[in-house]
Amino acid sequence: MLKVKAFGKIAEILQQEEFLMERVESTEAMKAYLGAHYPGLKNMKYQIALDKKIMSGDASLTGITEVALLPPFSGG
């Protein structure tokens, strides 16, 4: 199982901030799974952090213990 944390708008769409998910092979597979089960995420742009490191592109989830789903945000 994979521990997933959701923040902001993503947590609102999922109606939960933290959950366990069956393992998938990659971040793209995870996005596809979540988009199929939560249509509000399908076209939403968001970042994924694996064990507290933000990733870009497709990344393997092998050996990962925690995934964070991060909505777009801006700083000041």
Side-chain angles (χ1 to χ4, degrees):
M1 296 296 277
L2 195 59
K3 182 178 180 180
V4 181
K5 292 184 176 183
F7 296 89
K9 182 70 174 171
I10 297 171
E12 290 175 22
I13 292 169
L14 298 176
Q15 297 182 344
Q16 55 191 340
E17 293 179 353
E18 192 171 305
F19 60 97
L20 294 176
M21 180 178 168
E22 290 289 330
R23 284 207 173 264
V24 291
E25 292 185 20
S26 68
T27 55
E28 288 301 317
M30 174 180 266
K31 282 184 171 185
Y33 175 87
L34 292 172
H37 289 84
Y38 300 94
L41 290 180
K42 190 169 187 161
N43 295 316
M44 183 180 195
K45 292 187 186 286
Y46 58 93
Q47 292 184 304
I48 295 180
L50 305 178
D51 290 337
K52 300 184 181 179
K53 182 178 178 187
I54 294 177
M55 306 305 291
S56 61
D58 196 17
S60 171
L61 295 177
T62 302
I64 298 300
T65 58
E66 183 179 271
V67 175
L69 306 176
L70 308 169
F73 58 90
S74 61

